Amino acid sequence: MTQTPASPAPVHWKVVIDANDPHAQADFWAAALRYEVEDNSALIEKLLGFGALPEEATVAFHGRRAFRDLVAVRHPEDPFEEESGTGLGRRLLFQRVPEAKTAKNRLHLDLHPGEGRREEEVARLEGLGASALRRVKEQGGEWVVMADPEGNEFCVQ
């Protein structure tokens, strides 16, 4: 009997989003998606203790140490590495960049709040700091194009 080689494991991935203020973006998207901001403070303390991370590469965020230029949000039900606080499932990582957004996104998130809940969700997201850019009604469906606090577009179906 010939054995077939085992299929390789799927590739783990995350969406990385450039931001001027990664921590504010993480707070917005954690609230928008009902995700959790990752707590990397144990890893940061360990790196500081080893001298592998300079103090100036950290900030106080939600009462604990965080990386100054990186912060992620993760789905609350997905697994995470306890030692580092890093999510192992659905994640968005916000990284600090010096320039502001200048053009249309090449990639965006579509949020699906559920049947009949679009307007309620749009209002909730506006309360978190998003803005509605336009309402689209086409043969294929309806959605609202919105922008997060830094201008990144996303859609609410």
Side-chain angles (χ1 to χ4, degrees):
M1 178 184 246
T2 307
Q3 288 188 338
T4 57
S7 298
V11 174
H12 178 76
W13 59 272
K14 63 184 164 287
V15 175
V16 179
I17 302 171
D18 292 348
N20 292 126
D21 185 344
H23 300 91
Q25 285 292 88
D27 278 344
F28 171 81
W29 282 103
L33 298 174
R34 296 180 174 92
Y35 273 32
E36 295 177 357
V37 175
E38 290 183 354
D39 178 359
N40 304 121
S41 59
L43 172 63
I44 291 167
E45 294 296 342
K46 190 178 202 179
L47 293 172
L48 287 167
F50 290 147
L53 182 70
E55 181 80 30
E56 58 272 8
T58 70
V59 294
F61 182 57
H62 294 300
R64 58 186 185 249
R65 272 197 215 264
F67 292 107
R68 182 189 66 218
D69 296 327
L70 297 169
V71 62
V73 299
R74 65 177 174 79
H75 191 286
E77 295 173 4
D78 286 353
F80 65 96
E81 189 177 82
E82 297 217 14
E83 188 176 346
S84 69
T86 301
L88 302 172
R90 295 162 280 188
R91 302 173 72 216
L92 298 177
L93 174 72
F94 301 92
Q95 68 178 1
R96 185 179 311 280
V97 296
E99 67 277 353
K101 180 181 171 296
T102 58
K104 185 179 181 328
N105 299 9
R106 293 295 302 234
L107 172 79
H108 69 268
L109 301 180
D110 277 353
L111 307 186
H112 300 265
E115 186 68 35
R117 295 192 49 228
R118 181 185 317 113
E119 294 309 316
E120 172 188 332
E121 187 67 3
V122 166
R124 185 181 78 84
L125 294 165
E126 287 175 324
L128 294 172
S131 55
L133 301 177
R134 66 185 174 283
R135 296 178 181 282
V136 179
K137 187 172 187 173
E138 296 179 351
Q139 188 174 4
E142 281 184 57
W143 61 92
V144 178
V145 178
M146 299 190 76
D148 72 15
E150 288 198 8
N152 300 301
E153 294 95 355
F154 64 97
C155 296
V156 180
Q157 299 289 321

